[in-house]
Amino acid sequence: MSRARAANRIVLFFLGLWLVLAILLGATGRIAKLPPPFPQLVLLALTLAALAAVYLLPIVRKWAATVSLRALVAWHLIRLLVGAYFLFLAQQATLARAFALPAGWGDIAVAIMAAALLLSLSPGTRPRRTCYSIWNVLGFVDILFVVVNAARIGMSAPASMAPLLHLPLSILPTFLVPTIIVSHLILFRRLYKGAGLHSVGLEA
């Protein structure tokens, strides 16, 4: 087994373990009991921990340098489901519309653009990498807006954002959003600074 494949399997295992732990934590109801700004601090801490792992742990650094860029983009297809659920909750008046509507439509747009990239282009040439880079900037700005808007509304009207602290949405701050942010940062590094066009990750 190559080092890249070994790194991929190890990282996928720990991502799966992280997801299970996030689900179990949400099931205990402990996340729902956290008053602002502690949910936001949890999200920040997990994001920084994941980013530190990418830079400090050799096996994770190897994975980040070789994982398929298309696989990283494909992870963002899940934002279609999240966005649709946000819109549903806004319609049911159970989640603040000032958050749910822009977050929902933004996530749906990013996911649709990701699907279009995956269906039509591979990042194997410079013009195609430019398309991936534009999508990455838009997706990163969107997720940052979602995080900031959620924190702003959560601080002023915590009850209106309560669904984000209960399953299934509690996995957003404890798993999904940190992995989305870090995947964007990995894409920035790979697309702008440099892996060559013939690296394993770029052509996969």
Side-chain angles (χ1 to χ4, degrees), residues 72-166:
L72 290 175
V73 174
W75 176 233
H76 293 258
L77 296 178
I78 197 171
R79 293 166 77 168
L80 180 64
L81 298 178
V82 174
Y85 193 49
F86 282 160
L87 297 181
F88 171 76
L89 292 180
Q91 186 179 32
Q92 299 298 310
T94 56
L95 184 63
R97 291 174 63 86
F99 167 79
L101 292 180
W105 287 117
D107 275 341
I108 288 172
V110 170
I112 289 174
M113 288 188 288
L117 278 179
L118 294 171
L119 289 173
S120 61
L121 298 173
S122 63
T125 64
R126 189 170 298 276
R128 292 179 177 183
R129 281 194 299 161
T130 299
C131 293
Y132 274 74
S133 297
I134 292 171
W135 170 85
N136 197 41
V137 170
L138 294 175
F140 187 61
V141 170
D142 174 73
I143 196 64
L144 291 184
F145 171 78
V146 169
V147 170
V148 171
N149 200 31
R152 178 182 65 84
I153 299 173
M155 293 289 288
S156 60
S160 69
M161 301 292 284
L164 292 180
L165 303 180
H166 295 82

Side-chain angles (χ1 to χ4, degrees), residues 13-102:
F13 170 79
F14 280 103
L15 284 173
L17 180 61
W18 181 3
L19 176 58
V20 169
L21 292 175
I23 293 171
L24 292 176
L25 183 61
T28 66
R30 293 185 179 181
I31 291 294
K33 295 178 181 178
L34 294 177
F38 289 102
Q40 292 81 12
L41 293 176
V42 168
L43 189 156
L44 177 61
L46 290 172
T47 302
L48 292 176
L51 190 59
V54 169
Y55 283 95
L56 299 178
L57 298 181
I59 194 72
V60 184
R61 188 165 61 243
K62 177 68 175 179
W63 170 83
T66 58
V67 63
S68 165
L69 295 189
R70 289 169 63 84
L72 290 175
V73 174
W75 176 233
H76 293 258
L77 296 178
I78 197 171
R79 293 166 77 168
L80 180 64
L81 298 178
V82 174
Y85 193 49
F86 282 160
L87 297 181
F88 171 76
L89 292 180
Q91 186 179 32
Q92 299 298 310
T94 56
L95 184 63
R97 291 174 63 86
F99 167 79
L101 292 180

Side-chain angles (χ1 to χ4, degrees), residues 54-55 136 184-195:
V54 169
Y55 283 95
N136 197 41
H184 275 303
L185 295 176
I186 293 172
L187 281 163
F188 276 125
R189 183 177 180 84
R190 293 276 298 279
L191 289 166
Y192 291 133
K193 293 184 178 179

